[in-house]
Amino acid sequence: MEVRGYIQRIFPGLVLKPSLYHQWDISIHFELAKGLYQFKSETDELNSEYFNQVYNQALLLFNDIFATEDKILLVTNVYQCNDYLGRSKKKMKVYSHYITNNNRRIRLKQETLPYMYDDEEEAKERYTSQFSLECRKQDIRFPLLVKAICNQDFPPLKPRLHNPYGLYDPDVFFINVTKNVILYIYDDRGCEVIARDIETIRPLYEKYTNWVDEYCRDEINQRFK
């Protein structure tokens, strides 16, 4: 399945990049581990209670959104400089480390797109490599992948995502093609969920309403009235 064709058909006008919540009205912005902090009070020591709650909440959302039988598009945006264009099409470790099915992995697709952060001064010197793989939940080591996404800003923690090209860390999007829902966990702080039909994600809103980002709560509550 081709990513751009799917997005244009189901989520017209959407660009698959951070801040999905602000691009699409049928959306929820969740904050993870509310009330806890990355570091223990007045120290530089990482707070294991915080990170364990982040992992648990992110996985609860993932498991509620994706069922075993659902078709998934696992999409990764990798940000590179033009100097790398035309060089080795190195497959991201997102797929070599976290996809269990070799027969699936060999179907990995790659497309070169404009740089997603087009407001930056050096945007013309950069581009986006977008990798995509059609798979099922059982093909993904999703507990480890979700954990790696949440750990990306904290080098001591493993597993962790890494961009070998030295720009922003990769952005990973989990697309439920069966239910037309997209989950984007941007880091340990939170995630965005968007859907074609508001009733598809109403159970998430009702079940995890305490996790809704407070800055967006009034707007989100109004959407689900």
Side-chain angles (χ1 to χ4, degrees):
M1 177 176 291
E2 197 267 326
V3 177
R4 282 198 294 174
Y6 170 81
I7 294 295
Q8 289 171 4
R9 186 173 72 257
I10 305 299
F11 298 96
L14 184 81
V15 178
L16 204 57
K17 66 178 185 178
S19 297
L20 297 180
Y21 173 83
H22 297 292
Q23 295 186 60
W24 194 256
D25 287 341
I26 303 173
S27 57
I28 310 174
H29 186 187
F30 289 112
E31 182 182 352
L32 300 176
K34 272 188 178 183
L36 296 176
Y37 298 93
Q38 292 99 331
F39 298 93
K40 293 183 178 180
S41 180
E42 299 181 358
T43 74
D44 293 329
E45 183 180 352
L46 292 175
N47 184 355
S48 60
E49 181 185 0
Y50 168 84
F51 285 98
N52 286 335
Q53 187 158 322
V54 166
Y55 306 147
N56 290 337
Q57 290 180 342
L59 284 171
L60 283 170
L61 287 166
F62 185 95
N63 282 314
D64 280 1
I65 293 170
F66 299 96
T68 304
E69 65 275 11
D70 291 339
K71 184 184 295 185
I72 298 173
L73 269 176
L74 179 60
V75 181
T76 306
N77 287 349
V78 182
Y79 308 108
Q80 303 177 221
C81 293
N82 288 342
D83 291 347
Y84 288 98
L85 193 60
R87 295 188 185 180
S88 173
K89 300 297 186 182
K90 181 179 178 181
K91 292 180 173 59
M92 292 302 299
K93 291 182 179 179
V94 168
Y95 301 93
S96 61
H97 285 185
Y98 302 110
I99 296 298
T100 62
N101 189 323
N102 288 332
N103 291 329
R104 294 278 189 189
R105 195 185 299 136
I106 61 176
R107 301 174 189 172
L108 180 65
K109 298 179 181 178
Q110 182 182 22
E111 186 175 6
T112 300
L113 302 174
Y115 190 57
M116 295 297 182
Y117 301 94
D118 55 5
D119 57 339
E120 294 185 3
E121 289 184 6
E122 299 178 346
K124 292 182 179 179
E125 301 173 6
R126 300 174 177 180
Y127 70 100
T128 303
S129 270
Q130 187 174 85
F131 296 83
S132 63
L133 183 68
E134 189 175 321
C135 56
R136 304 280 179 174
K137 184 176 180 179
Q138 56 269 29
D139 298 322
I140 310 171
R141 293 187 177 96
F142 61 88
L144 286 177
L145 178 52
V146 167
K147 192 172 184 178
I149 294 168
C150 295
N151 288 343
Q152 61 187 309
D153 291 332
F154 300 90
L157 298 178
K158 306 295 181 186
R160 189 170 66 91
L161 294 186
H162 173 63
N163 185 348
Y165 304 103
L167 297 176
Y168 295 113
D169 287 331
D171 287 313
V172 181
F173 303 89
F174 301 94
I175 303 177
N176 189 324
V177 176
T178 302
K179 298 172 182 171
N180 296 323
V181 178
I182 301 177
L183 169 65
Y184 169 57
I185 305 169
Y186 48 87
D187 56 31
D188 60 289
R189 296 169 298 169
C191 64
E192 303 171 321
V193 180
I194 70 170
R196 175 68 180 266
D197 182 352
I198 196 168
E199 295 306 318
T200 308
I201 57 173
R202 184 178 295 279
L204 295 179
Y205 165 76
E206 294 175 347
K207 186 175 182 179
Y208 303 115
T209 189
N210 290 336
W211 303 355
V212 169
D213 188 284
E214 294 302 328
Y215 290 102
C216 309
R217 179 172 292 280
D218 290 343
E219 182 178 51
I220 293 171
N221 288 345
Q222 189 65 32
R223 290 173 180 175
F224 286 90
K225 270 190 174 181

